[in-house]
Amino acid sequence: MTHAIPVLLPSALVNHHAIDLERRYTDGWGLKVNDVATTPSGEIYALSHVHRHTYGVADEEAAAAKAHFGYSLVTRYAPDGTLLATAVSGQDEYLRQDTTFGGPTTGLGTDLWWARGLCVLPDGTLAATGPGDHTHLITADLTAVTAHHGMPRSRHDDGTRDPFAAWISTTPAGRLLCTTGEYGLYNYGNLLDNIVSISDRPLTSTSKPKLRALASMEAEPVKHTEADLRPDILFDGKPVGMDHRPRPSLTEHLTGLEQTARRWDWDDARLGRPAVVREDLFVVPVYGHIYRGGSRGQRFAFVLVSDKGEIVGQLGGMDLHRDSPFTGFCFEIAADPVRERIYHLNRYGLFAWSTTGVRAQRLDLEEARYKLLKHFTLVDCTPAGELILVHRTQHLLLRIPCPASLGGLGQAVEDALRSYAKERSALKKQWQPANWHWVDSTAPLHRL
């Protein structure tokens, strides 16, 4: 199998803006992969962002070779890693959206710049999600955005309030596990993720289902009025908002677990991206306040929540300091609902758990054979049980086939990294990337 797959930039975009691929990111441009999603047939979709903002260049600069820009890119790969298509979308508020690039659009994808999550829905449609409970539905061939839901990111902003979710994951039966936001968390006016919910009906371009709230991170957002009620999210049959949401909240539950815990240990906490462990069980990351001077040792937890809204446990076997995900902000969780496994990768180790929350494996990244994993981010677990990782600077996807027994995980990772190194060398000869930026001119390019 192919272990290394390059994240490709379309040559048309590179040429249109005369992007200097050798230029350092500290000089005002950058490329970042935000998420990856896979289909049951093995196809891979990657969501990335590329931007440029050059000091001394006016915001109204018209020349594409000089102008600031920002684009979201969605790339589609065949199961063998062959690039099938790329779709590009701009952002029209802070960074210039060049409407002359990439052809006509439906006009529904202008907010795709904010997308941070990607999910393949049961019917094959792609859902791109982001802050403000923005959800874009994109056809599987990346030719069009068929629907867009969202709401203002601040309670003080005007705009249509038609939200869906900031993050979506699908269960084996096709239900949608979602996170949604609320205004007023810790007295912030911005919409912050606070509710974990589930939908029993499909999301389509013509139908938006209601969500059933399972858990809340913070129980009492401030300054809520009837205008903050969410009729699209129900708890006990009533809209979430004001003083009505699942209790105890996740932070209340975590505070009550520790005799030495203090209420402010979880002040200004954040909700991570939940993952589906099996049809009736989910894992929800929660992490404490991030400090400017460093947060290693700060509290974090991966909480197990049932589809009935019951908190049934949490993942164990991690030390607050030695295994801290705050170094590099590695809060991602990937789960394999077919084999009922849970994975987490941070700068200190690759961890694996069973559905009971008992740690089954920890690969120490200080060991030479695993050290390369420090440069990767865990983004997905495929229906076939493969882990998908992204190299943060070399812009390569890494596929790791997981063994039948977690006891063989170390050898499987070691073998995959060895194959990755060989394939990376071959890819460099084939593509001749500039500073690890891979450029393609063959695949169809669509404008969303």
Side-chain angles (χ1 to χ4, degrees):
M1 69 173 291
T2 303
H3 293 85
I5 302 173
V7 178
L8 296 159
L9 284 168
S11 61
L13 186 149
V14 174
N15 297 333
H16 183 76
H17 286 289
I19 301 176
D20 180 2
L21 300 177
E22 297 284 1
R23 185 179 177 185
R24 295 176 300 175
Y25 284 3
T26 53
D27 291 335
W29 89 286
L31 170 66
K32 180 181 179 182
V33 179
N34 288 100
D35 200 18
V36 172
T38 53
T39 69
S41 64
E43 288 190 356
I44 302 173
Y45 292 91
L47 171 68
S48 55
H49 289 76
V50 58
H51 74 278
R52 183 177 70 195
H53 191 285
T54 307
Y55 177 79
V57 174
D59 291 342
E60 61 272 13
E61 173 63 56
K66 296 181 180 180
H68 310 313
F69 65 80
Y71 296 99
S72 292
L73 302 175
V74 183
T75 47
R76 180 189 180 199
Y77 300 89
D80 65 356
T82 303
L83 181 66
L84 299 178
T86 300
V88 60
S89 171
Q91 187 255 21
D92 61 356
E93 187 175 0
Y94 300 112
L95 293 175
R96 180 174 180 270
Q97 178 174 333
D98 191 333
T99 56
T100 66
F101 173 70
T105 77
T106 60
L108 295 174
T110 54
D111 277 327
L112 262 172
W113 168 263
W114 298 101
R116 295 295 181 269
L118 212 54
C119 175
V120 179
L121 300 181
D123 64 356
T125 300
L126 199 62
T129 54
D133 291 355
H134 280 266
T135 302
H136 293 79
L137 299 186
I138 306 171
T139 55
D141 59 3
L142 304 184
T143 55
V145 176
T146 59
H148 171 222
H149 304 284
M151 63 190 296
R153 280 168 283 275
S154 171
R155 72 192 328 166
H156 307 296
D157 293 340
D158 297 326
T160 303
R161 296 197 175 191
D162 178 31
F164 186 67
W167 171 257
I168 303 175
S169 185
T170 59
T171 71
R175 296 192 293 174
L176 306 182
L177 177 68
C178 306
T179 60
T180 56
E182 290 192 278
Y183 299 121
L185 265 68
Y186 313 112
N187 208 26
Y188 288 112
N190 291 343
L191 197 72
L192 299 178
D193 293 349
N194 193 48
I195 304 295
V196 179
S197 53
I198 195 166
S199 169
D200 297 318
R201 297 179 57 195
L203 172 66
T204 69
S205 60
T206 58
S207 174
K208 185 180 74 168
K210 291 187 181 296
L211 300 175
R212 173 168 56 88
L214 300 176
S216 65
M217 181 190 66
E218 170 61 29
E220 299 177 350
V222 300
K223 299 179 181 177
H224 261 220
T225 67
E226 289 187 3
D228 296 307
L229 292 174
R230 292 288 298 266
D232 55 315
I233 309 171
L234 304 179
F235 176 61
D236 287 342
K238 300 178 182 178
V240 165
M242 300 181 70
D243 60 353
H244 184 67
R245 59 187 54 78
R247 305 265 318 247
S249 69
L250 296 174
T251 53
E252 287 175 331
H253 169 77
L254 292 169
T255 301
L257 287 179
E258 301 180 63
Q259 291 183 349
T260 59
R262 300 159 297 185
R263 179 64 186 88
W264 53 85
D265 286 337
W266 291 99
D267 276 355
D268 206 14
R270 292 293 184 270
L271 187 67
R273 298 173 169 183
V276 177
V277 180
R278 63 180 186 227
E279 184 62 37
D280 61 348
L281 185 66
F282 319 116
V283 57
V284 183
V286 183
Y287 53 96
H289 181 69
I290 295 175
Y291 295 96
R292 292 183 180 179
S295 302
R296 188 177 181 185
Q298 172 68 313
R299 280 174 166 76
F300 67 91
F302 301 116
V303 185
L304 294 170
V305 179
S306 76
D307 65 344
K308 305 299 183 185
E310 301 168 341
I311 300 175
V312 297
Q314 66 184 81
L315 304 186
M318 294 187 73
D319 182 80
L320 288 179
H321 188 270
R322 186 181 66 252
D323 300 321
S324 176
F326 285 90
T327 304
F329 308 117
C330 305
F331 303 107
E332 296 83 6
I333 281 281
D336 180 357
V338 176
R339 296 154 193 83
E340 299 186 355
R341 298 172 179 175
I342 309 165
Y343 300 95
H344 169 67
L345 173 67
N346 61 36
R347 301 295 172 85
Y348 304 108
L350 173 62
F351 303 83
W353 294 268
S354 65
T355 56
T356 62
V358 176
R359 194 187 79 190
Q361 192 61 269
R362 180 189 188 272
L363 305 185
D364 189 349
L365 300 198
E366 288 302 319
E367 293 188 28
R369 54 181 176 161
Y370 306 132
K371 206 161 191 175
L372 185 59
L373 287 180
K374 287 189 175 185
H375 303 287
F376 286 88
T377 299
L378 176 63
V379 288
D380 194 23
C381 184
T382 72
E386 301 167 344
L387 295 182
I388 305 290
L389 287 70
V390 176
H391 198 292
R392 288 184 290 274
T393 57
Q394 295 178 356
H395 309 114
L396 287 163
L397 304 181
L398 167 62
R399 290 195 293 195
I400 300 178
C402 290
S405 170
L406 285 176
L409 181 62
Q411 188 61 52
V413 170
E414 188 176 357
D415 293 343
L417 290 176
R418 191 179 298 115
S419 297
Y420 168 83
K422 295 178 181 178
E423 293 177 18
R424 179 183 59 187
S425 298
L427 288 170
K428 283 188 70 177
K429 293 180 181 179
Q430 176 186 352
W431 292 90
Q432 298 182 346
N435 196 22
W436 296 107
H437 296 102
W438 314 81
V439 180
D440 174 77
S441 60
T442 61
L445 178 64
H446 308 292
R447 180 65 185 272
L448 298 178

